[in-house]
Amino acid sequence: MYTTNAFAAPAAGAPLRAMTIQRREVGPRDVLIDISYCGICHTDIHTVRGEWGERSYPIVPGHEIIGVVAAIGTDVTKHQVGDVVGVGCMVNSCRECVSCRAGEEQYCAKGVIGTYAAVDVDGTATQGGYASRIVVTEDFVLRIPDGLDRAAAAPLVCAGITMYSPLRRWGAGPGKKVAIIGLGGVGHVGVKLAAAMGAEVIVLSQTLKKREDGLKLGAAGYYATNDPDTFTTLAGTFDLILNTVSARVDMDAYLSLLGTGGTLVSVGIPPEQLALHTFSLVMGRKTLAGSLFGGIAETQEMLDFCAQHNITADIETIPAQEINKAYERVLASDVRYRFVIDVATLS
């Protein structure tokens, strides 16, 4: 077993603190990674605070991991010592169900195994990337292309693929009009990706305070949703809308912005149930959909696309000792646009 420095939540709602954890020995198909950077995702906060159901503690969060391969198992063929690699939201799956065989391990019929707060196939609790080291089976380790800044690439393996997957699935590209609801840690990457795919991108945000940022990121327009005129001006405009916010929104109002046959995809997960009128869907043959993140192959495709187009997240790098403060700032929307932990500060 490996003893590893980590920052963990000892109980639901408790501040994270430094502690040591145990990692399993490197098996024949495993990769040992020395973690360099780990992004902070809103999911981390929901999970450690027990807002998405009961969990076993302590929990080491973090599923936006960038590091360097330190050792490999005897049967590993995909990675070598010294490779720069990443680990995203999952570390295993059944490999046998229809979804897994289709390369969509995130929808594993038996339940995808998350990078933290889950149980791996060996019965051990998974612990995430707010730690010095991690051991992951090689099939769930991603190659980080040369040229991508390591710290700024960390959020791509969560926020990046969360946006890339629905953009690809619903055909964002030249001639398509795409709206991104929310210019936050996920939405700002979505604007960059959709623009690089050739779509016309519009940001829909509560206010105009981030308008200059949105236009610099590649948006062709920026509208305030607290202005009722926005929904009149943009009615019937979009082929695709991606909703990134984790709060209740007026689904009927946003569906009215779709053209005939358009799709609204939710990637944000609010705690409350959402309501809508069926007429908002049938009048215009519109679709309301959801999307998680992507499978391993699609995530690698996304990373290669980002390297080709020089896309990374806009980040603020912090030492581990500021994680609790960073959580409060995330909840206050006081970050542009993603916190990334310098894991070297753990030691």
Side-chain angles (χ1 to χ4, degrees):
M1 301 288 284
Y2 290 96
T3 299
T4 301
N5 293 325
F7 249 68
L16 277 71
R17 62 178 177 83
M19 63 175 62
T20 58
I21 61 169
Q22 299 296 312
R23 299 289 195 189
R24 68 171 185 263
E25 293 290 342
V26 176
R29 299 284 305 280
D30 284 340
V31 176
L32 173 65
I33 302 167
D34 285 335
I35 300 174
S36 304
Y37 299 99
C38 185
I40 292 177
C41 177
H42 209 138
T43 299
D44 301 347
I45 301 173
H46 286 305
T47 302
V48 302
R49 295 189 174 188
E51 294 170 354
W52 284 355
E54 293 184 8
R55 305 286 182 174
S56 297
Y57 292 84
I59 292 174
V60 179
H63 56 208
E64 298 180 350
I65 300 167
I66 301 291
V68 178
V69 176
I72 59 175
T74 55
D75 297 338
V76 169
T77 61
K78 298 179 180 179
H79 308 284
Q80 297 180 343
V81 173
D83 286 353
V84 180
V85 295
V87 178
C89 301
M90 56 185 171
V91 292
N92 223 325
S93 69
C94 80
R95 322 289 186 95
E96 298 173 349
C97 70
V98 172
S99 293
C100 286
R101 293 199 306 271
E104 295 192 318
E105 302 92 345
Q106 73 276 28
Y107 301 124
C108 177
K110 296 183 180 179
V112 66
I113 297 173
T115 305
Y116 61 84
V119 179
D120 210 338
V121 293
D122 61 358
T124 60
T126 61
Q127 300 285 14
Y130 296 11
S132 299
R133 287 183 151 188
I134 192 170
V135 178
V136 181
T137 184
E138 69 167 332
D139 291 339
F140 287 78
V141 176
L142 301 152
R143 176 184 54 83
I144 302 302
D146 294 337
L148 286 180
D149 178 86
R150 296 184 188 183
L156 296 180
V157 298
C158 171
I161 187 58
T162 295
M163 298 303 284
Y164 184 91
S165 187
L167 286 169
R168 275 291 188 231
R169 179 172 181 80
W170 279 279
K176 295 295 182 70
K177 293 185 177 181
V178 177
I180 307 291
I181 304 174
L183 191 72
V186 175
H188 89 284
V189 180
V191 172
K192 294 183 181 185
L193 289 168
M197 291 175 182
E200 179 183 338
V201 190
I202 302 296
V203 176
L204 304 174
S205 187
Q206 283 187 308
T207 69
L208 297 178
K209 68 178 182 179
K210 297 180 182 178
R211 181 177 183 275
E212 184 177 348
D213 284 3
L215 298 179
K216 287 180 179 178
L217 292 169
Y222 198 107
Y223 291 81
T225 57
N226 65 2
D227 181 356
D229 289 343
T230 290
F231 292 90
T232 302
T233 302
L234 298 178
T237 295
F238 300 106
D239 301 291
L240 175 65
I241 301 174
L242 300 187
N243 176 24
T244 73
V245 301
S246 296
R248 178 178 287 179
V249 299
D250 185 340
M251 300 303 292
D252 296 299
Y254 284 105
L255 285 165
S256 75
L257 303 182
L258 291 172
T260 300
T263 301
L264 192 162
V265 183
S266 286
V267 299
I269 306 175
E272 309 93 352
Q273 290 186 342
L274 298 178
L276 62 88
H277 295 287
T278 304
F279 271 113
S280 297
L281 297 174
V282 300
M283 301 303 290
R285 199 179 63 245
K286 299 171 184 178
T287 301
L288 175 61
S291 182
L292 193 56
F293 40 87
I296 292 299
E298 188 175 46
T299 304
Q300 188 63 61
E301 176 187 303
M302 177 273 306
L303 288 167
D304 294 339
F305 180 88
C306 287
Q308 180 183 355
H309 294 275
N310 194 29
I311 294 172
T312 54
D314 290 11
I315 66 167
E316 180 178 335
T317 306
I318 62 167
Q321 295 73 24
E322 293 185 10
I323 291 173
N324 291 304
K325 179 180 178 182
Y327 275 20
E328 296 304 322
R329 289 181 58 192
V330 168
L331 295 173
S333 298
D334 179 26
V335 55
R336 293 192 176 180
Y337 282 92
R338 204 76 165 184
F339 286 116
V340 174
I341 304 162
D342 180 354
V343 175
T345 60
L346 279 170
S347 59

